[in-house]
Amino acid sequence: MRLERTSFAKRLGTYADTVKLPAQPVVEGRLLRMVGLTLEAEGLRAAIGSRCVVINDDSHHPVRVEAEVMGFSGTKVFLMPVGSVAGIAPGARVVPLADSGRLPMGMSMLGRVLDGAGRALDGKGGMKAEDWVPMDGPTINPLNRDPISQPLDVGIRSINGLLTVGRGQRLGLFAGTGVGKSVLLGMMTRFTEADIIVVGLIGERGREVKEFIEHILGTEGLKRSVVVASPADDAPLMRLRAAMYCTRIAEYFRDKGKNVLLLMDSLTRFAQAQREIALAIGEPPATKGYPPSVFAKLPKLVERAGNGEAGGGSITAFYTVLSEGDDQQDPIADSARGVLDGHIVLSRRLAEEGHYPAIDIEASISRVMPQVVSPDQMREAQQFKQLWSRLSQSRDLISVGAYVAGGDAETDLAIALQPKLVHFLRQGLNDNVGMQQSREHLASVFAQPKSDTGG
């Protein structure tokens, strides 16, 4: 079975052109009005989450637009369109579809760039689908999940040594704009030991999608990756679907016994898409303009990642979280921190100093690190963090020359080891530092130089 190629313009406005209507009689509705982003229909009998097609047959250019049922009030049903609604008029037919839709899956997806509906964006033609699966994946009993017990090499020295990631862990990359989140994701994509890599570019600028694929991901990284892209000008429902689609792809390969790396940029754009939809159908805002449904959607999405059942595959997930104005108490950042297994915070101050990757070691943590590293490495990582924290606390005194050597033994040691500490945290864009090498570098920071014993 092959997917039909669709131009970008057609993809935006006429998703439903190739959708087959159900053969059995259905209860159609009529479009009453459009308020903001929401379509209101009457006479329609369709469950929440089901797909419909809005058909306008009265014009010289018939229009068919796919929409999803998002809510209802009495006899009115609220729908959210997937694409452009240009050409839709009052009184248009609203026809429910037979099922909630299935998505193409298979090894032929590797190296491809798709949109949130599974259609190719890379111009490489049709894609052979081995399976068609529903958007919602199977639920795994938490007691049947394989516990996290193995470290995952991500190729970043500071993460391997101080914030060790476990296979099947879910972490957040927290930062404001322009501090290197996408670059760090690209390094992980190229260096991480994983069978399959799934990248979700949700709500990003269209320019950045191509730049990420060509310059950050690269040809070699793309060969073992599936990229799902839904740029910022897509409808909010399409951005929402794209995030769920890339998660569903990761689940599919995990169920095939593969170790999958899921990278989603960003979780904040996913939350903002849900906010647009929820506010459009009349849900009241709760925290800083975010309705309650946003905070219910976040754990439902991230809980799908992680290890499968014992003996199966795994999904190790990294979600970028955009902290507006570098505010770590942003409601989405705060909520994500509570549902993830750790967080890596990027510092604007370090980025402005040319320190890359700009990881704020003091504010970052990997909650599964004690389970996947040796006691010696855990002790050295804690000592490293203590010395780096002492340097940060004494930064102003040292810069103005107010600190006197001998005042504090730990501060003296931190100053003496500062070149080693900085060197350990910095890494070039194309430098791949493996797990064992990172472990050796960490041990060498505290190694005492051998003294000469001359005669």
Side-chain angles (χ1 to χ4, degrees):
M1 186 177 294
R2 302 181 70 84
L3 294 180
E4 177 184 337
R5 281 190 63 185
T6 308
S7 69
F8 186 70
K10 185 177 180 182
R11 181 179 71 84
L12 284 178
T14 56
Y15 265 116
D17 285 351
T18 58
V19 176
K20 291 184 178 180
L21 301 181
Q24 68 273 22
V26 295
V27 180
E28 296 185 7
R30 289 288 176 176
L31 189 64
L32 292 178
R33 61 174 181 165
M34 180 176 181
V35 180
L37 302 174
T38 311
L39 302 176
E40 291 186 12
E42 194 168 42
L44 179 69
R45 295 198 56 153
I48 291 178
S50 59
R51 297 160 62 231
C52 300
V53 177
V54 182
I55 305 174
N56 185 18
D57 293 329
D58 297 334
S59 64
H60 297 292
H61 303 284
V63 177
R64 292 155 59 101
V65 175
E66 183 184 343
E68 183 174 318
V69 178
M70 306 303 297
F72 58 86
S73 176
T75 60
K76 295 180 181 179
V77 176
F78 305 124
L79 304 103
M80 184 64 60
V82 172
S84 172
V85 293
I88 294 296
R93 296 164 54 208
V94 182
V95 184
L97 298 178
D99 57 51
S100 59
R102 291 182 174 268
L103 301 169
M105 297 287 176
M107 295 300 294
S108 60
M109 304 175 77
L110 296 181
R112 302 302 302 270
V113 183
L114 312 172
D115 69 2
R119 298 176 184 267
L121 292 177
D122 51 15
K124 295 181 180 179
M127 180 184 69
K128 184 177 180 181
E130 300 171 14
D131 294 298
W132 291 81
V133 300
M135 180 71 83
D136 294 327
T139 302
I140 300 178
N141 186 326
L143 298 181
N144 293 338
R145 283 187 185 267
D146 200 21
I148 299 174
S149 58
Q150 298 179 359
L152 179 70
D153 185 357
V154 299
I156 312 296
R157 180 169 49 225
S158 55
I159 297 178
N160 282 343
L162 305 176
L163 304 166
T164 310
V165 178
R167 191 178 298 278
Q169 187 177 359
R170 302 158 307 175
L171 284 99
L173 294 179
F174 292 74
T177 56
V179 294
K181 295 190 304 297
S182 298
V183 174
L184 187 59
L185 281 181
M187 294 174 69
M188 291 180 182
T189 305
R190 295 193 302 271
F191 302 151
T192 299
E193 293 179 347
D195 300 324
I196 305 289
I197 298 172
V198 182
V199 181
L201 302 176
I202 313 300
E204 294 297 309
R205 292 180 285 271
R207 171 186 61 81
E208 291 184 338
V209 173
K210 187 173 183 179
E211 288 183 358
F212 182 90
I213 294 169
E214 293 185 354
H215 303 303
I216 298 179
L217 188 59
T219 304
E220 292 301 315
L222 184 61
K223 287 181 180 178
R224 58 179 182 142
S225 304
V226 183
V227 179
V228 179
S230 181
D233 60 343
D234 269 359
L237 183 58
M238 183 54 66
R239 282 176 266 145
L240 210 66
R241 283 188 180 182
M244 294 187 288
Y245 184 29
C246 64
T247 303
R248 187 67 185 94
I249 295 172
E251 288 178 320
Y252 172 81
F253 286 115
R254 177 188 63 189
D255 295 341
K256 297 289 184 182
K258 304 292 186 181
N259 292 317
V260 183
L261 177 66
L262 172 62
L263 306 173
M264 187 178 295
D265 187 13
S266 69
L267 194 63
T268 303
R269 305 300 187 198
F270 168 83
Q272 290 174 346
Q274 175 61 25
R275 177 175 64 178
E276 291 179 46
I277 294 172
L279 293 177
I281 64 176
E283 187 177 348
T287 306
K288 290 190 177 180
Y290 286 96
S293 63
V294 173
F295 303 101
K297 285 273 188 181
L298 288 177
K300 286 184 178 180
L301 182 72
V302 302
E303 281 292 332
R304 293 168 62 178
N307 284 336
E309 297 185 1
S314 66
I315 301 176
T316 306
F318 287 87
Y319 301 93
T320 66
V321 181
L322 181 62
S323 303
E324 298 182 5
D326 295 325
D327 179 14
Q328 295 302 318
Q329 301 306 315
D330 175 83
I332 298 303
D334 196 46
S335 178
R337 194 180 292 108
V339 298
L340 295 173
D341 303 321
H343 47 271
I344 298 173
V345 179
L346 302 185
S347 166
R348 185 173 301 279
R349 178 182 63 80
L350 292 176
E352 291 172 348
E353 294 176 356
H355 180 124
Y356 289 102
I359 297 175
D360 186 345
I361 294 298
E362 295 177 84
S364 305
I365 189 172
S366 171
R367 292 193 176 103
V368 305
M369 183 176 176
Q371 306 168 27
V372 297
V373 301
S374 65
D376 288 341
Q377 181 178 347
M378 195 69 203
R379 183 178 61 255
E380 290 167 353
Q382 290 174 342
Q383 186 178 2
F384 188 106
K385 287 186 176 182
Q386 289 170 358
L387 293 177
W388 187 258
S389 177
R390 188 57 63 94
L391 270 179
S392 300
Q393 294 170 10
S394 307
R395 178 187 181 91
D396 293 338
L397 291 176
I398 296 172
S399 63
V400 300
Y403 177 76
V404 179
D408 180 80
E410 190 170 358
T411 303
D412 291 342
L413 179 60
I415 294 173
L417 294 179
Q418 182 177 8
K420 289 185 175 182
L421 300 177
V422 173
H423 178 265
F424 182 86
L425 295 177
R426 288 184 174 179
Q427 184 172 330
L429 179 62
N430 298 312
D431 297 339
N432 181 3
V433 184
M435 184 68 72
Q436 182 59 33
Q437 192 176 1
S438 301
R439 174 72 182 84
E440 293 171 356
H441 285 182
L442 179 61
S444 68
V445 171
F446 305 102
Q448 297 294 329
K450 296 181 179 180
S451 58
D452 295 331
T453 57

